[in-house]
Amino acid sequence: MQGWPTPGKLRCEFFNEDINVNNNSMFITDEQMKELTGYQKPSKQCKVLEEAGIFFIKRPDGRPKTTWVHFNNPSSKKFDINFAEKPNFGAI
């Protein structure tokens, strides 16, 4: 299934580096999250994910939780939206 890693190395396109994948879990582990984001502090991890447009939920302990599918297919890459553009209401 696309987006689900197999044990071994996985190429992370966003961070342009290889990461170790130790199981077939669809969820990114806390250790993998630290390696991927470069931060141990959950608030910093959340900020990195937000800036990259990667969907996640914030667990009650403040740690982000997401899947490899969301990580490998961030919402920021799904749509080419330029929020700086304003609609031309005069054209209506």
Side-chain angles (χ1 to χ4, degrees), residues 12-23:
C12 173
E13 297 299 325
F14 181 78
F15 293 104
N16 196 29
E17 60 187 41
D18 291 330
I19 55 171
N20 290 317
V21 178
N22 299 322
N23 57 38

Side-chain angles (χ1 to χ4, degrees), residues 1-6 10 25-26 67-73:
M1 203 172 239
Q2 183 181 5
W4 290 32
T6 55
L10 176 69
S25 174
M26 65 183 224
T67 65
W68 284 106
V69 173
H70 286 299
F71 186 84
N72 290 323
N73 301 291

